[in-house]
């Protein structure tokens, strides 16, 4: 069994920033890196919107910079996946790969969220080569080009509008005969001359030589008027939702209907669950930062900011013990 003051779960911008602050506060944090070292950001090709990198930065390099910065102040890293937690006791208990047990005065959850993908083979083939799940991150690389956005919710509409400001043309691939998004978002999409909505279409496969150059779609699959359609595109953006990586904590901390961790006001303080119900009581010593608690912004810089907040709050809590 390992006893630590501050345990951080997750190695994205929230986790590493929490580690920088916690280690500079002399909390000697241990950070469990999880299944995707560097987090979601590493699925993108280049980061141009994180302050401090005027020429942009390759995501692995940026995450490595953060990692080394926290290491410099004493953060220890454990590679592995957290498989079980017990937050009903103090100190909190966390198991890595079921075997290695940690006891921590404070735990910072920074497990992020994962974009949903369609699950077709060619999505994997072209990941980072035309396939993206973040228009704000990658849209800039498609200036004056043609792209497609999949989904009919608010995210898809927002992304299609954003991309229409940069691109020559934007297709929206919507599986239903209507958009699910709020009325105002629908109107923006439908009134934008650069956006063409392809209702009742599903993506069969992406095509291209080494990068996305087109998509094969099917219209009204299984219906008498079923038809195939090919569109020429340079980028394919998924906007069919995200799921926060919070399943593991569901018995102990309050989450919203989508699974995002609910925190107190503007803080990162988690709420307690007792017998499957949110008690409105704080769960002392447990904090959540980054996309696992943020259904709105999903930006590295916002996640980093909340990581700093979590570490400051963890420090205050530990000093109160
Ligand atoms: P949603 O779950 O609202 O929408 C997902 C969309 O993707 C739906 O149109 C859905 O189709 C489609 N979809 C899901 N799976 C597939 C699939 N396998 N193939 C094709 N299409 C698929 O997710 P969002 O991310 O858009 O929104 C999440 C929440 O965040 C919502 O509550 C939304 O209102 C909110 N939000 C608010 C914003 C704002 O207010 N500015 C901005 C962004 C999000 P179908 O309709 O057929 O199920």
């Amino acid at each position: 069994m390992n006893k630590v003051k501050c345990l951080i779960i997750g190695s994205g911008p929230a986790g590493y920033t929490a580690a920088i602050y916690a280690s500079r506060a002399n909390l000697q944090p241990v950070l469990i890196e999880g299944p995707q070292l560097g987090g979601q950001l590493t699925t993108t090709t280049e980061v141009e919107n994180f302050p401090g990198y005027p020429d942009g930065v390759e995501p692995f390099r940026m995450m490595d910079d953060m990692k080394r910065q926290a290491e410099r102040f004493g953060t220890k890293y454990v590679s592995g996946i957290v498989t079980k937690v017990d937050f009903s006791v103090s100190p909190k208990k966390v198991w890595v790969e079921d075997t290695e047990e940690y006891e921590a005065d404070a735990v910072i959850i920074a497990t992020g969220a994962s974009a949903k993908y369609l699950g077709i083979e060619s999505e994997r083939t072209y990941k980072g080569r035309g396939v993206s799940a973040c228009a704000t991150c990658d849209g800039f690389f498609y200036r004056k080009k043609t792209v497609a956005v999949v989904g009919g919710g608010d995210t898809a509409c927002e992304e299609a509008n954003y991309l229409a400001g940069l691109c020559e043309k934007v297709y929206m691939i919507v599986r239903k005969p209507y958009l699910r998004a709020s009325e105002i978002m629908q109107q923006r999409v439908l009134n934008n001359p650069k956006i063409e909505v392809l209702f009742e279409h599903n993506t069969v496969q992406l095509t291209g030589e080494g990068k996305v150059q087109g998509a094969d779609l099917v219209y009204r699959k299984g219906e008498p008027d079923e038809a195939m359609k090919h569109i020429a595109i340079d980028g394919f953006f998924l906007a069919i939702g995200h799921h926060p990586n919070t399943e593991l904590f569901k018995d102990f901390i309050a989450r919203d209907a989508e699974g995002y961790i609910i925190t107190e006001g503007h803080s990162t303080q988690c709420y307690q669950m007792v017998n499957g119900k949110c008690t409105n009581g704080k769960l002392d010593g447990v904090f959540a930062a980054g996309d696992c608690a943020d259904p709105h912004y999903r930006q590295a810089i916002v996640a980093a900011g909340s990581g700093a907040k979590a570490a400051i709050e963890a420090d205050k809590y530990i000093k109160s013990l």
Side-chain angles (χ1 to χ4, degrees), residues 69-263:
Q69 193 171 348
E71 203 162 30
R72 179 179 154 206
F73 300 109
T75 300
K76 296 268 181 290
Y77 296 103
V78 173
S79 68
I81 296 172
V82 172
T83 45
K84 196 167 85 169
V85 299
D86 184 356
F87 293 163
S88 66
V89 289
S90 279
K92 312 289 175 250
K93 290 188 177 191
V94 171
W95 284 265
V96 177
E97 311 288 359
D98 284 328
T99 48
E100 208 176 338
E101 185 182 337
Y102 286 82
E103 277 189 3
D105 291 329
V107 174
I108 296 173
I109 302 170
T111 47
S114 306
K116 291 181 189 162
Y117 284 81
L118 295 172
I120 55 174
E121 177 68 32
S122 48
E123 237 173 5
R124 278 189 291 277
T125 314
Y126 297 108
K127 207 162 176 181
R129 286 182 289 155
V131 173
S132 167
C134 179
T136 324
C137 318
D138 296 332
F140 194 68
F141 303 112
Y142 299 90
R143 271 167 302 162
K144 299 196 168 46
K145 295 190 171 173
T146 298
V147 298
V149 176
V150 190
D154 280 316
T155 301
C157 289
E158 215 168 65
E159 305 230 323
N161 267 311
Y162 176 79
L163 289 164
L166 298 166
C167 303
E168 187 70 34
K169 182 180 174 80
V170 179
Y171 291 104
M172 271 185 85
I173 305 168
V174 181
R175 66 181 176 183
K176 294 241 173 82
Y178 55 84
L179 294 168
R180 179 204 283 216
S182 52
E183 189 58 33
I184 187 163
M185 294 302 286
Q186 291 193 31
Q187 288 314 318
R188 276 185 204 156
V189 158
L190 298 171
N191 293 330
N192 192 321
K194 280 193 178 174
I195 302 175
E196 180 181 343
V197 185
L198 301 173
F199 288 109
E200 296 186 82
H201 281 79
N202 276 291
T203 312
V204 179
Q205 66 166 352
L206 301 171
T207 57
E209 293 287 323
K211 60 178 183 180
V212 171
Q213 291 173 321
D216 291 330
L217 313 178
V218 58
Y219 171 70
R220 286 172 59 81
K221 187 172 169 49
E223 301 298 327
D225 54 351
E226 174 180 326
M228 293 300 292
K229 181 180 175 74
H230 179 82
I231 53 172
I233 49 169
D234 306 290
F236 184 77
F237 287 84
L238 279 309
I240 59 171
H242 284 75
H243 51 82
N245 304 316
T246 60
E247 255 318 276
L248 196 62
F249 314 108
K250 69 177 190 313
D251 294 337
F252 303 101
I253 57 173
R255 304 180 306 154
D256 70 10
E258 310 285 323
Y260 288 94
I261 297 170
I262 301 169
T263 55

